[in-house]
Amino acid sequence: LAVRCTPPHSFNQHSGHHNIMCQSPPPPPPPPHLGDKEFHIAPMLDVSTREFRYFIRLLTTRSFLWTEMVVAETIRHCDPKEYDQHLAYDEGEHPIVCQIGGNVPSEAALATELVQQYGYDRIDLNAECPSDRVTGRREFGAALMKDIDTAVEMVKAMVETAESESIPVSVKTRIGVDDEDSMEFLVSYIGRLVEAGCRRFIIHSRKVYTKGLSPAQNRAVPPLNYQRVFALCEAFPQCDFWLNGGIRSLVDARKVAYGGGVCDFYERDGNTHAILTDQSSKDVNTKHGAPCEACNQPYGSCTAPSPHLSPANMKGVMVGRLAMDNPCALADVDRYMFGEAQNPCQTRRELIERYAQWIEKMYPRRCCDDDPTVTLGRVMGGSPNIPRVRIYCLICKEYYENSDEEKNNIDTGGEENQDVCNTSSANDSQFTMSQRRHKRHTKKSPGSKMVSSVIDRPLKPILGVFAGLPGNARFRREIHRLSRDMNVRNCGPGYVLRKAIECIKPEILDAEFAKCDG
């Protein structure tokens, strides 16, 4: 396998040694156009739910959304009727990537086949998650970096299945694991995955510790090293790479994706062309690499973009915590990263209204029916209708009294809610696995027909919508207070959200989202 590094190297797949090659460096990439690079929202356990993805899609139509990691073993052993619980998504979520985790090739092949049948745009293998739930007894995620033979077999199984299914396969991994954090190890590791057929890699630019650090510490303590990712791009020009880790704003994202030599873009002949700037000799000659004194980042992180243009095969960037902690920081993605004329939502009020309407359909109110069953969650695939006998109750009257849609739903339960209201009753065999939970909830919270997770799950993505603004803490307290009020809970998460934003000043709700500078 011939690769190029700086200086140029070749990798001997038999001896495992790297030999200097007398090759000239590749020509510099041509100036990019705005929109050439991709923007991805990272997969996050207990975060990248269907609700989170829908909420983020309201902010950006061009970004790639990722699912939570779907465990291939779970897919292998669950009833086919339960596939929707793990793989279903809204059509509006495209482009979307399904990430799977596992260490059994046959299970990975089955998961790949199903992911293609569900119409995902891409599929990814998790080889970087440090969670004990993954790297412990189950030995996948980041553990695959220490068991490269298994990683290779997983990739082969996925690629062979995907070739007939026409779905691109990628691997999300890190730049090192435990004591193995040299460039030689990384080139050897990626080289074997390339031999197995993978040509796409999302690189979290930190090493990972499988023991001794929590997942949160693994996202902060190991230093970032962007230069290692740029070196991989040069070492494997036949492959595509995306950089993940430490990106705190859209300005950072565009610099990393396009390079520090791109200062702005201008329109001509229907395209948005890059404006290049001459970097000072100080900027170009500054030495970077972890630990990095020049970047002056915690733990010696190196987050400097390429001084001129990013490598041509640096296809984009990925953000995670930015989307979770401050989702409205993504409100300018489509314009700033892709050159769209405008973004999908202009204000927080518009964003919240559109999201509230959606969760009211996904989690219908239970205050206006006489059915004693309990809503346990939102699962697509057909569940019993619950006829609504009132338009509103005394608590939610202020929001739903004049709603024509609510009036049309009376006595029918609303046909559009037929497939999204998952309930459990003693005679409903489809949900017998939830009977114990149903009885426990009825005993603990008599009169409440919605379990706490039904309220919390759709409200979690919205908690950071006022991050950094006056009223943020009060809004979060109101969400918590209302969602725990048993007199309010049956009115549903949509009502809780509408009621909670009353504590936010109108000038904040109606202010246009800030635009990023060029």
Side-chain angles (χ1 to χ4, degrees):
L1 176 66
V3 299
R4 288 192 179 97
C5 293
T6 306
H9 285 69
S10 69
F11 175 70
N12 188 315
Q13 59 182 319
H14 301 293
S15 66
H17 297 298
H18 302 264
N19 303 313
I20 298 294
M21 296 174 61
C22 296
Q23 294 184 10
S24 59
H33 299 118
L34 188 61
D36 285 351
K37 307 294 186 177
E38 296 177 352
F39 190 87
H40 291 242
I41 310 299
M44 294 173 279
L45 284 173
D46 302 322
V47 174
S48 301
T49 60
R50 192 167 177 176
E51 291 77 9
F52 175 82
R53 299 196 305 267
Y54 185 88
F55 178 64
I56 295 297
R57 184 56 80 214
L58 294 176
L59 289 164
T60 166
T61 62
R62 297 290 301 273
S63 301
F64 275 80
L65 303 179
W66 285 53
T67 67
E68 294 181 278
M69 180 181 63
V70 178
V71 179
E73 181 184 15
T74 301
I75 298 297
R76 179 76 172 185
H77 295 291
C78 76
D79 190 299
K81 295 179 180 179
E82 298 174 357
Y83 286 160
D84 278 3
Q85 296 182 34
H86 305 284
L87 297 172
Y89 60 91
D90 289 295
E91 282 300 312
E93 292 181 42
H94 287 289
I96 183 170
V97 182
C98 181
Q99 184 183 70
I100 67 168
N103 58 9
V104 179
S106 61
E107 295 174 350
L110 172 62
T112 303
E113 181 180 355
L114 290 173
V115 165
Q116 191 279 335
Q117 292 176 9
Y118 270 81
Y120 282 87
D121 297 287
R122 299 175 186 174
I123 186 170
D124 179 81
L125 174 65
N126 185 321
E128 67 103 15
C129 180
S131 171
D132 289 341
R133 290 185 288 174
V134 172
T135 61
R137 179 182 57 85
R138 300 171 114 174
E139 294 185 345
F140 57 93
L144 290 179
M145 295 187 70
K146 302 177 72 172
D147 186 1
I148 300 178
D149 289 340
T150 298
V152 166
E153 293 304 314
M154 291 286 290
V155 168
K156 284 182 178 179
M158 294 173 66
V159 169
E160 289 173 0
T161 304
E163 284 180 350
S164 60
E165 306 293 350
S166 301
I167 181 171
V169 175
S170 64
V171 174
K172 188 172 188 295
T173 190
R174 297 218 183 188
I175 61 174
V177 56
D178 295 334
D179 295 331
E180 297 285 1
D181 60 353
S182 66
M183 187 63 188
E184 288 72 17
F185 165 78
L186 185 58
V187 168
S188 175
Y189 166 56
I190 296 296
R192 291 199 59 191
L193 299 182
V194 170
E195 288 178 338
C198 185
R199 295 293 185 273
R200 296 166 177 258
F201 299 92
I202 294 82
I203 307 295
H204 189 147
S205 52
R206 288 185 173 96
K207 68 181 291 184
V208 60
Y209 289 95
T210 56
K211 294 181 180 179
L213 293 182
S214 68
Q217 291 171 322
N218 260 304
R219 293 191 298 268
V221 174
L224 294 157
N225 192 349
Y226 287 5
Q227 307 310 307
R228 187 67 59 84
V229 184
F230 299 144
L232 271 182
C233 291
E234 295 184 10
F236 296 93
Q238 75 276 37
C239 297
D240 295 334
F241 294 89
W242 290 258
L243 187 148
N244 173 220
I247 296 174
R248 301 177 179 176
S249 68
L250 295 186
V251 174
D252 289 348
R254 198 163 87 172
K255 285 182 179 178
V256 172
Y258 289 94
V262 177
C263 64
D264 207 347
F265 291 85
Y266 69 96
E267 290 190 13
R268 187 182 69 188
D269 301 329
N271 290 320
T272 309
H273 302 267
I275 300 176
L276 304 183
T277 181
D278 290 331
Q279 299 290 300
S280 69
S281 58
K282 178 181 177 181
D283 293 335
V284 173
N285 295 327
T286 300
K287 293 184 179 180
H288 287 283
C292 185
E293 295 181 0
C295 287
N296 194 28
Q297 295 290 324
Y299 303 104
S301 288
C302 180
T303 57
S306 177
H308 294 296
L309 295 177
S310 290
N313 58 338
M314 168 63 71
K315 294 300 184 179
V317 295
M318 172 180 281
V319 301
R321 299 293 141 178
L322 178 65
M324 183 186 77
D325 297 335
N326 186 13
C328 292
L330 307 182
D332 200 27
V333 165
D334 288 5
R335 184 196 69 87
Y336 187 69
M337 293 292 294
F338 297 98
E340 296 288 347
Q342 66 177 22
N343 299 299
C345 283
Q346 307 306 310
T347 67
R348 285 173 172 81
R349 188 187 296 277
E350 179 186 359
L351 172 66
I352 291 171
E353 175 61 30
R354 291 175 63 181
Y355 186 61
Q357 291 177 5
W358 184 76
I359 61 177
E360 284 165 349
K361 292 182 178 181
M362 293 294 103
Y363 299 89
R365 292 180 293 124
R366 296 299 313 282
C367 58
C368 298
D369 65 73
D370 293 330
D371 196 302
T373 58
V374 175
T375 299
L376 299 174
R378 184 266 310 129
V379 178
M380 302 298 290
S383 56
N385 264 339
I386 298 180
R388 185 174 294 164
V389 297
R390 294 175 296 279
I391 300 175
Y392 52 81
C393 70
L394 293 177
I395 296 175
C396 62
K397 176 181 178 180
E398 59 183 313
Y399 294 110
Y400 303 113
E401 180 178 13
N402 298 317
S403 171
D404 291 335
E405 183 177 355
E406 298 296 334
K407 292 177 182 179
N408 292 335
N409 288 343
I410 190 137
D411 293 327
T412 67
E415 290 184 2
E416 76 279 8
N417 294 333
Q418 178 175 338
D419 291 337
V420 296
C421 182
N422 171 19
T423 63
S424 176
S425 64
N427 296 322
D428 184 9
S429 59
Q430 184 177 356
F431 301 104
T432 54
M433 292 179 65
S434 299
Q435 295 307 309
R436 183 178 301 175
R437 185 181 177 196
H438 180 287
K439 293 178 181 179
R440 184 172 64 248
H441 171 81
T442 303
K443 182 178 180 179
K444 181 179 179 180
S445 307
S448 172
K449 294 187 283 186
M450 304 185 90
V451 297
S452 59
S453 61
V454 168
I455 303 295
D456 296 340
R457 184 181 175 99
L459 293 177
K460 185 176 181 179
I462 204 82
L463 292 178
V465 74
F466 298 107
L469 296 177
N472 174 53
R474 185 179 178 187
F475 169 74
R476 294 172 70 104
R477 287 195 300 268
E478 276 296 283
I479 288 284
H480 179 78
R481 181 185 68 82
L482 291 167
S483 63
R484 294 298 177 266
D485 188 335
M486 293 302 165
N487 294 320
V488 171
R489 179 174 289 183
N490 286 344
C491 294
Y495 170 77
V496 170
L497 176 56
R498 293 182 184 278
K499 188 69 176 176
I501 64 171
E502 290 183 357
C503 71
I504 301 297
K505 295 180 179 180
E507 54 265 33
I508 293 177
L509 285 168
D510 296 324
E512 290 193 4
F513 288 119
K515 299 291 194 299
C516 296
D517 295 329

